[in-house]
Structure formats: structure tokens, C-alpha cells
Amino acid sequence: MSIRTSFVSLAIGLASIYAPVDLSAEINQKPFTVPELRQWKGGEGRFTPSAESRIVYSDKNPELAHVAERLAQDYTTIAGTDLRLAPNAKSRQGDIRLQLKPQKKSNQEQYTLTVDKNGVTLTAPTAEALYWATRTLLQMTEMSDDLSLPYGSATDYPDFAWRGFMIDAGRKFIPMDYLYDLVDAMAYYKMNKLHIHLNDNGFKYYFDDDWDKTQAAFRMECDTYPGLTSRDGSYTKQEFRDLVKYAEDRHVEIIPEIDFPAHALAFTRFMPEIGSTDDAYGRDHLDLMSPKTYEFLDNLLAEYLGGDDPVFAGPSFHIGTDEYSNRDSVVVEKFRYMTDRYIKYTEKFGKQPLIWGSLTHAKGKQPVQSDNVIMYGWSNGYANPSDMIDLGYRMVSIPDGYVYIVPSAGYYYDYLNTKMLYDNWTPANIGGTVFEGDKLKQIEGGMFAVWNDHPNNGITIKDIHHRVMHALPTMSAKTWDGKDVTVPYDEFISKSTRLSEAPGVNYLARYGSEPGTVVISQQVVPAGTTLPIPEIGYDYTVEFDIEGAEETKGTVLFESPNATFWLSDPITGNMAFSREEKLHQFRQNVLPGEKLHVKVTGDNKGTRLYVNGKLVDDMNTRWLSYNGGKNKMAEVRTLVFPLEKTGKFNSKITNLKVTNSIL
């Protein structure tokens, strides 16, 4: 964005006032946005906001004022120029006008956008819809080389109210700062549901087939049961409240999930008496027959759902209820009882109850409430979607064979098949069962998911985000207007890469407008200095010359908050890198007086070190064996290269060049 800003500022400077210039007699084609605009009527000419342009709105409605303030902040971030706020001002030519107008019969997320010689007008019945209109305006601005907007009018609205993403924080802790960036990215693409899976456990065969060693975590601060909270990463209750409020301000709902009665090793490890005693089930299954299990769950859920200032302050709560064994019909009936019980328990706190679909797998006689219950349709074997619709459940389409990501696991998707999804899928399709007519009205919308089944496989938060952003534009398009997309897939992918993750968000650490751009070129690199960018993401090349000097073990060459590149690592003294507590050592050191040309390349598969033009180490994905070779897990050795500052080294570093592609 900073590279564009100088050009953009020059362009703005040339326009002393707003510039409604008719550049050609051609009718403007539909502007590219994600998701695609539903309706567009093009005009002739273009409008460019100027230093005199204002955002005009009524501040009598606090929600409207908030939308205006967010637009002003985000426009400055994208365009490098300010739009002044003008509450209650009389509109004039060149302004951007925000209007709330109730429309009883329309979709409450529908908005209109008009660009003409007078400026821009955004109109919607709700603050949420108006906020989506501002996201469209910002994307149109971002796609324009000179910040101009095409004359024309758009009417836009979603097919589905539920457009979401689920992230597994139970098996791998997801830092709160990333969740904030994720909210911003989702909102920019009009995705409105972020589901956070707060407890889970790994597979015991990766931990010596021993439940006591198997990874398990509950990620929330807990006063009711001190000691339950995971020690390797958790959220305080206030942190979670703040996240819910931040997301709500951007019209994204945070959906917390506490998963039970399976996936519950964190609970049974803390309180063994509530765990299943039948080895056929496993210790990650709660004992459904024990009154202590229900007492534990009642108390735990009440801590987060209850009180004057609830931690889970949003309208919905997900109670899990998936993948419990169905080998015993008596247990199946008890599973159904538990599901029904906690649906009703959730409702007592005024929450919309959500569940994973499991009632085909757990078919039985015990009634399970369907009225006012939203079920995630993830596996047709666990919950036949046609049957669930007939029972009255409202469904969220999240079919595992279409939209599940399990990074580098070798099953499900590592990266979603976005071409298949874009060309052939909508939320009406749950695992191959396609709904239409009246039954389609019971489909709330669609989601995709990242499951961190292999918590120790080297996948970083950066790697997770790379997969998320690969999928997010496509899922945005298909959950908003899936059946009517008109942009060919290849064009959609090409153009969508020009959009940022969100205003001010660059978690992918992408710099430069085109591949092959040199984003840092520095002849001398002093120790203890700050560099122009904090890090460079996939794909990249970092190269430099080094004249070695005496270094102690643990000497840093480059570092950022997310990673360290070692000139002399703390153990062997070799060149190495570390991120998220994993150290990866190259088979190369630097001797005093030695002169070398070093090149490091990195992508989403691995990291490579070249010295004097020869490949020294290829840190690609490798497979580790467990249980005598019965089970395997990938170890991923990727690196988003740290560049924020240099370490305190004695060696001489010159001719640093950082390129945003692999050379």
C-alpha cells in the first residue's frame, strides 16, 4: 500500500477539486469486488474524491456515525488521503453520503451504491448493510489505479445470512492478535460469522499411544475450575469480551464453542471421574451416565454464558456434540439426551443453540429439540441433511469433503479446491445433497474450517492464514451470491489477488505490486538497525554478502516478533531459523574471515539455503514416523522471513536484496 501511496498522492494533488471527468463515451462495466455485485447499471465517466470531499451523515444514529468513522479511517489507510467527517452537514457536490432508510420488504443486508457527478451515495436499511456498502466502496477504490470510481449504480444483497469460518484453537493456540486481524479480513469480504473451537485434543497415536501424554487444551480462563485452563496458551475472559465487541463493531459475530461429550480430554484429564471408563470409547469421551459430568458442564458453561457481563456476549453458543461412539444403543440414547439437555440449557441464557450434526450416527428414540436449533451439516454419514431438514433443523452448510482444511495432514484439504467450489458449489449443497425450493429456506448459509488435527507438525499461524486467505475470497463469493457469479474463475483469482486482506492488514507480509519486485535493496546492513519492512511472506528471495567474524552462539542476524534468523544458532553455531518455538538448523556455519554470498528462498512448502550459488539445505516437508511406522505426521519447515531489525553481530553484511518472488 505504501508503494502506491506516493503515486496516489500525486494523482490527488493534481486534482484541486473533486473530478467528475467524463473520460470516454463508453458505459462503465461492473467494477470488480469480492463478493461480486448483484446488480450494476453503468454510467459514463468517473468520479475521484478530492481534498474537498466529505463523508456526510446524521450523527443522531450512533451506529451510522460508527460506520462513517470506520469508512474515514479505512479510506485513509487505503488511499493515503483523508476524507473529512461532516455530521449533519448539507450535502454538496463531491461528497460521499451515507443514509439509513428502512425498507420493510427488502433483505435487511441489501444496500444501494450510486456514483455520479455529485459524488457517492450509499443507502441501506440497517447499519450492517451500510457497512457492507462501505466495504464495496473501499474495494472499488483499491482496484482503481488513480482512486477514481466509475459512474453507475449498484444494488447488492446476499443470498445467505450466514457466511462464516471456523478455526480450531483447541489443538493449536490461536493468538488473540491474529483473531483481530482475522475479524478485519472477514469483514472486508462481507463474511460475518467467526466460530472459535475452544477445546480439543490430539490423536493419542502421535503421543506414544498414551492418553496421559496426548495434547489437550481448554483455551479459556476459568475461575470455576482453577487449573483447567491450558498452560500453553489461553484467553482471559476480558480479552474474549473485547474480541466479541470489536467483531460486533465490524458486523462479525464471534461464535464460541465448548465441545463435548467427545473431544473432551482436557476435561477428563482435569477431573478423571467424569471420563469414560470404557477403553472402547477412550478417555476423550465424557461419561454420559455420571451425574458429576452434568454438574461439571452446567457449572462450566454458566461461567461464560451467565452473569450481568457474560464472556460469551454474542447471540449464539455452540455445544459441540459430534463424533461420540455409537457402539452401544444405551449410550446413544444418553448422548441424545445430553444433546437435548444442553440445547435447552443454552436457551436458558438467551442464546441461539448450535450443534454439530450427529443424529444419524446417533439415531435413536430419545427426542432432541429441533425448534430454534441450528445444525452444522458437516458429514452426511453423521447427519443425513435431508432427514435433518425434515426434522425441522435449520442447517449451516460446512461439508467436510468440500470445505475442511487440515494443514499438511495428508487427508481432507491442505488448501481448498477453490476452482471446484467457485464453479460448482453453493451452501445449498451439503455433501452432495442439493436443496432447492422451500427446503432451501432452512439453509442458513455456509462456512469453511481449519482443523489443526496435528498440533506439532510445524504449521505456523502464518501458514494457517496463508490457507485461509487462499480460500476466503472464493468462500465470500459463494456464500454471498454463489449461484449467480459471472466472473470466470481465472479472472476472479487474478483480480482478487490485487485486493488487500483488509485495510491496514498485511498478515501475509506481501510487498510490491508485481512478482519480481525488489522490496529492499541496501548496500550496508549495520548491526542493531531497523529495516524498511518487518517481514516478507511467501514467495520470497533474501540474499546478502557476508564477511564472517568471531560470533558467540545465539547471535541473531534478522528478527521480527514472529521469527528469528540466526547467524549462529544457540545450540550448534550454525545458521538457522526459529518460529513458534521450533528451531531448524542449516548445515552451514560462517567462519571468521570467510566471505560468502547467501541466498534464502521460501514458499508455503519450505525454506532453502544457498551459499555461493549452491543449494546447501532444502527444508521441505518431511514425514515423521510414530508407533513403529504405523502412523506418520508431516513436519513443515516454512519461514516467513523476519526483517524488522538486525541483531548484534560482529560480521559484515552487505548487498542485502529482498525480492517478492523466488529467484
Side-chain angles (χ1 to χ4, degrees):
M1 208 61 64
S2 60
I3 292 174
R4 284 189 58 207
T5 300
S6 59
F7 169 77
V8 166
S9 299
L10 175 62
I12 295 297
L14 294 175
S16 59
I17 58 172
Y18 72 100
V21 180
D22 187 351
L23 299 178
S24 73
E26 293 184 2
I27 299 297
N28 292 315
Q29 298 299 306
K30 181 193 294 188
F32 180 84
T33 60
V34 179
E36 182 178 344
L37 293 171
R38 298 295 294 255
Q39 299 172 14
W40 171 259
K41 183 178 180 180
E44 299 177 4
R46 300 181 74 85
F47 163 76
T48 304
S50 75
E52 302 302 317
S53 295
R54 307 170 303 168
I55 300 175
V56 177
Y57 62 98
S58 169
D59 66 359
K60 295 179 181 179
N61 185 318
E63 288 186 309
L64 177 56
H66 183 71
V67 172
E69 291 162 4
R70 292 297 314 154
L71 174 59
Q73 294 169 10
D74 292 341
Y75 187 87
T76 298
T77 300
I78 282 177
T81 186
D82 292 338
L83 287 174
R84 292 183 295 128
L85 292 169
N88 307 316
K90 184 177 180 180
S91 179
R92 67 191 185 198
Q93 199 172 34
D95 284 340
I96 297 174
R97 293 163 288 278
L98 306 184
Q99 302 176 158
L100 286 177
K101 289 188 177 180
Q103 299 175 25
K104 293 182 180 180
K105 294 183 179 181
S106 72
N107 184 318
Q108 292 302 291
E109 290 187 88
Q110 178 174 309
Y111 65 87
T112 60
L113 178 153
T114 301
V115 182
D116 56 27
K117 65 180 181 180
N118 294 313
V120 179
T121 302
L122 306 179
T123 305
T126 63
E128 178 185 22
L130 197 64
Y131 186 75
W132 300 145
T134 66
R135 303 305 92 183
T136 296
L137 180 63
L138 291 166
Q139 287 192 10
M140 289 169 62
T141 302
E142 195 171 13
M143 291 297 292
S144 171
D145 291 335
D146 60 0
L147 304 185
S148 67
L149 303 168
Y151 284 3
S153 60
T155 300
D156 198 19
Y157 54 90
D159 276 338
F160 296 96
W162 192 294
R163 308 178 298 277
F165 170 63
M166 192 231 72
I167 192 162
D168 174 7
R171 296 187 182 101
K172 179 177 177 62
F173 179 62
I174 308 298
M176 186 60 75
D177 65 338
Y178 173 62
L179 293 176
Y180 276 87
D181 281 349
L182 187 55
V183 166
D184 285 335
M186 292 180 65
Y188 196 48
Y189 291 86
K190 305 186 181 77
M191 301 284 280
N192 62 358
K193 308 286 184 181
L194 175 56
H195 175 147
I196 304 174
H197 184 77
L198 289 166
N199 66 287
D200 216 314
N201 47 268
F203 303 135
K204 72 169 183 167
Y205 46 74
Y206 292 124
F207 299 88
D208 296 334
D209 224 20
D210 187 337
W211 284 117
D212 290 329
K213 297 179 181 179
T214 300
Q215 181 273 345
F218 176 67
R219 299 298 183 186
M220 289 300 305
E221 173 190 9
C222 188
D223 296 323
T224 304
Y225 297 109
L228 175 62
T229 304
S230 175
R231 299 166 68 95
D232 70 339
S234 64
Y235 311 119
T236 69
K237 289 189 279 189
Q238 191 56 50
E239 280 177 335
F240 207 87
R241 288 188 187 98
D242 291 344
L243 176 67
V244 170
K245 181 63 170 65
Y246 181 90
E248 183 182 71
D249 287 345
R250 287 148 182 80
H251 301 279
V252 175
E253 179 189 351
I254 300 296
I255 299 173
E257 178 193 358
I258 296 178
D259 196 5
F260 58 86
H263 303 281
L265 183 60
F267 302 151
T268 65
R269 180 173 289 163
F270 173 80
M271 188 178 288
E273 59 265 37
I274 67 172
S276 174
T277 57
D278 189 334
D279 290 340
Y281 292 100
R283 278 174 49 191
D284 60 347
H285 281 49
L286 295 178
D287 182 353
L288 304 184
M289 307 300 173
S290 171
K292 289 184 178 180
T293 298
Y294 299 89
E295 179 184 355
F296 172 85
L297 291 173
D298 285 357
N299 293 337
L300 183 69
L301 270 55
E303 178 169 348
Y304 305 105
L305 296 174
D308 295 332
D309 185 18
V311 179
F312 297 164
S316 305
F317 176 62
H318 201 296
I319 62 172
T321 66
D322 66 319
E323 296 189 297
Y324 200 95
S325 174
N326 66 350
R327 61 185 289 270
D328 186 315
S329 61
V330 174
V331 174
V332 165
E333 296 297 342
K334 202 66 175 177
F335 171 86
R336 294 174 64 90
Y337 164 79
M338 172 179 271
T339 302
D340 184 69
R341 185 184 193 278
Y342 283 102
I343 287 171
K344 293 178 170 63
Y345 190 78
T346 298
E347 287 183 318
K348 288 180 181 179
F349 294 95
K351 302 296 183 185
Q352 167 72 63
L354 313 175
I355 62 174
W356 292 104
S358 290
L359 298 183
T360 299
H361 181 259
K363 194 168 186 177
K365 297 178 180 179
Q366 166 68 39
V368 179
Q369 178 179 323
S370 61
D371 183 49
N372 190 42
V373 178
I374 295 177
M375 176 184 287
Y376 284 24
W378 69 280
S379 165
N380 292 16
Y382 272 84
N384 182 288
S386 294
D387 293 345
M388 299 304 108
I389 291 287
D390 289 343
L391 288 170
Y393 290 100
R394 290 146 56 202
M395 303 287 289
V396 171
S397 180
I398 184 170
D400 57 353
Y402 291 71
V403 296
Y404 270 22
I405 299 169
V406 185
S408 292
Y411 57 87
Y412 285 129
Y413 284 108
D414 189 21
Y415 286 79
L416 290 189
N417 184 345
T418 54
K419 179 171 175 52
M420 177 272 289
L421 292 169
Y422 189 83
D423 290 340
N424 300 311
W425 182 80
T426 77
N429 180 340
I430 303 180
T433 300
V434 180
F435 294 93
E436 55 188 17
D438 288 342
K439 290 187 176 182
L440 183 58
K441 296 176 182 177
Q442 288 175 241
I443 307 297
E444 294 289 309
M447 300 179 73
F448 70 112
V450 167
W451 293 101
N452 296 306
D453 289 7
H454 299 172
N456 297 322
N457 68 349
I459 287 286
T460 66
I461 303 301
K462 293 285 186 179
D463 292 318
I464 290 171
H465 188 63
H466 197 263
R467 287 156 172 79
V468 171
M469 289 310 301
H470 172 264
L472 189 64
T474 296
M475 292 300 295
S476 165
K478 299 301 286 187
T479 55
W480 181 273
D481 185 16
K483 67 182 185 302
D484 295 323
V485 292
T486 64
V487 181
Y489 172 78
D490 290 342
E491 180 183 347
F492 175 82
I493 294 299
S494 176
K495 288 184 175 179
S496 64
T497 58
R498 292 179 55 190
L499 291 171
S500 62
E501 298 161 53
V505 176
N506 188 13
Y507 207 81
L508 292 173
R510 289 180 172 170
Y511 295 91
S513 56
E514 298 292 338
T517 301
V518 176
V519 297
I520 295 180
S521 180
Q522 192 163 316
Q523 188 173 356
V524 178
V525 183
T529 191
T530 300
L531 293 171
I533 61 175
E535 54 192 357
I536 186 73
Y538 318 133
D539 299 340
Y540 65 80
T541 301
V542 176
E543 50 189 324
F544 53 87
D545 294 320
I546 182 168
E547 183 176 336
E550 192 71 38
E551 306 283 6
T552 60
K553 289 181 179 179
T555 297
V556 172
L557 186 53
F558 301 104
E559 62 183 337
S560 74
N562 297 308
T564 300
F565 191 89
W566 302 91
L567 177 55
S568 174
D569 82 69
I571 299 173
T572 66
N574 283 2
M575 299 180 79
F577 65 89
S578 55
R579 75 290 188 280
E580 294 191 9
E581 301 178 359
K582 281 186 176 287
L583 176 67
H584 297 288
Q585 299 154 320
F586 294 113
R587 293 171 296 185
Q588 177 73 48
N589 61 0
V590 180
L591 300 175
E594 192 171 30
K595 295 182 179 180
L596 304 173
H597 180 74
V598 175
K599 181 172 80 170
V600 181
T601 66
D603 58 23
N604 64 328
K605 299 298 182 184
T607 313
R608 291 154 293 279
L609 174 70
Y610 299 83
V611 175
N612 294 336
K614 294 183 178 180
L615 179 64
V616 171
D617 251 329
D618 185 355
M619 295 271 191
N620 55 17
T621 300
R622 62 184 177 184
W623 289 86
L624 307 179
S625 294
Y626 295 82
N627 296 333
K630 293 180 182 178
N631 306 106
K632 293 183 178 181
M633 180 190 292
E635 182 185 33
V636 177
R637 297 175 290 175
T638 50
L639 174 67
V640 170
F641 200 95
L643 289 164
E644 185 169 287
K645 58 184 179 180
T646 59
K648 297 180 179 179
F649 47 78
N650 298 317
S651 300
K652 183 179 179 182
I653 308 297
T654 57
N655 300 320
L656 173 66
K657 185 169 74 170
V658 179
T659 308
N660 66 355
S661 61
I662 292 178
L663 304 177

